[in-house]
Amino acid sequence: MESVARWVDGLAFEGTFSTGHTLRMDASVEQGGQDSGPRPIELLLVGLAGCTGMDVLAILKRKKQEVTALSVAVSGERRKAQPNIFTKLRVTYEVTGRSIDAEAVRQAVHLSEDKYCSVAAMLRCAAPISREIRITEAKG
């Protein structure tokens, strides 16, 4: 697996992934960029959200849970000194569905965070990860 970031202009880079997908990254205007894409540090958070979200959804489907929506939000606190690494991460899972079993969701989250999600395993080496789970009954 390999990814490459190529300078576009200003502080913007286009990342190319081994899958062939591309993504533009940029710095904020205050940092000298044009704000034309996400910051690289933000990609770590969305990578964690996507990784654990895919795991949780796949596990819940295997458990025959009728999920109608899933949102995974990741927030991070960073230290003030350079480099501004994450010191704490918080993952909030919002599962919506019909007759969702809370224990099935708890198990799915646990399996993802502790066994399957490579991104969580890597980031946990740098900062503790806490979680919150919210379950909502689907309307209609």
Side-chain angles (χ1 to χ4, degrees):
M1 179 182 295
E2 179 182 57
S3 295
V4 177
R6 288 185 179 81
W7 179 52
V8 177
D9 59 27
L11 291 178
F13 281 76
E14 181 176 85
T16 303
F17 302 88
S18 57
T19 57
H21 296 286
T22 61
L23 175 74
R24 185 181 178 103
M25 299 171 282
D26 199 359
S28 67
V29 173
E30 298 80 28
Q31 294 174 321
Q34 299 171 356
D35 196 24
S36 64
R39 315 300 172 258
I41 196 78
E42 292 176 306
L43 296 176
L44 288 173
L45 297 181
V46 79
L48 173 55
C51 183
T52 190
M54 289 177 194
D55 290 341
V56 168
L57 186 59
I59 293 165
L60 290 175
K61 285 185 176 210
R62 283 196 301 271
K63 290 179 174 282
K64 308 286 191 230
Q65 297 298 298
E66 194 177 343
V67 176
T68 59
L70 173 62
S71 174
V72 182
V74 180
S75 60
E77 291 182 24
R78 297 170 69 189
R79 74 178 184 190
K80 302 286 185 230
Q82 294 286 341
N84 307 113
I85 63 170
F86 288 113
T87 56
K88 290 183 197 175
L89 296 166
R90 179 150 185 90
V91 182
T92 302
Y93 299 86
E94 293 190 29
V95 181
T96 303
R98 292 181 180 79
S99 302
I100 298 293
D101 179 357
E103 181 59 19
V105 175
R106 190 195 66 72
Q107 289 173 354
V109 167
H110 173 73
L111 283 169
S112 174
E113 289 183 349
D114 296 339
K115 185 174 183 181
Y116 296 118
C117 181
S118 302
V119 179
M122 289 180 58
L123 290 176
R124 190 174 23 260
C125 293
I129 302 174
S130 62
R131 74 177 70 101
E132 179 180 355
I133 299 171
R134 298 178 191 150
I135 300 171
T136 304
E137 186 67 24
K139 295 181 176 32

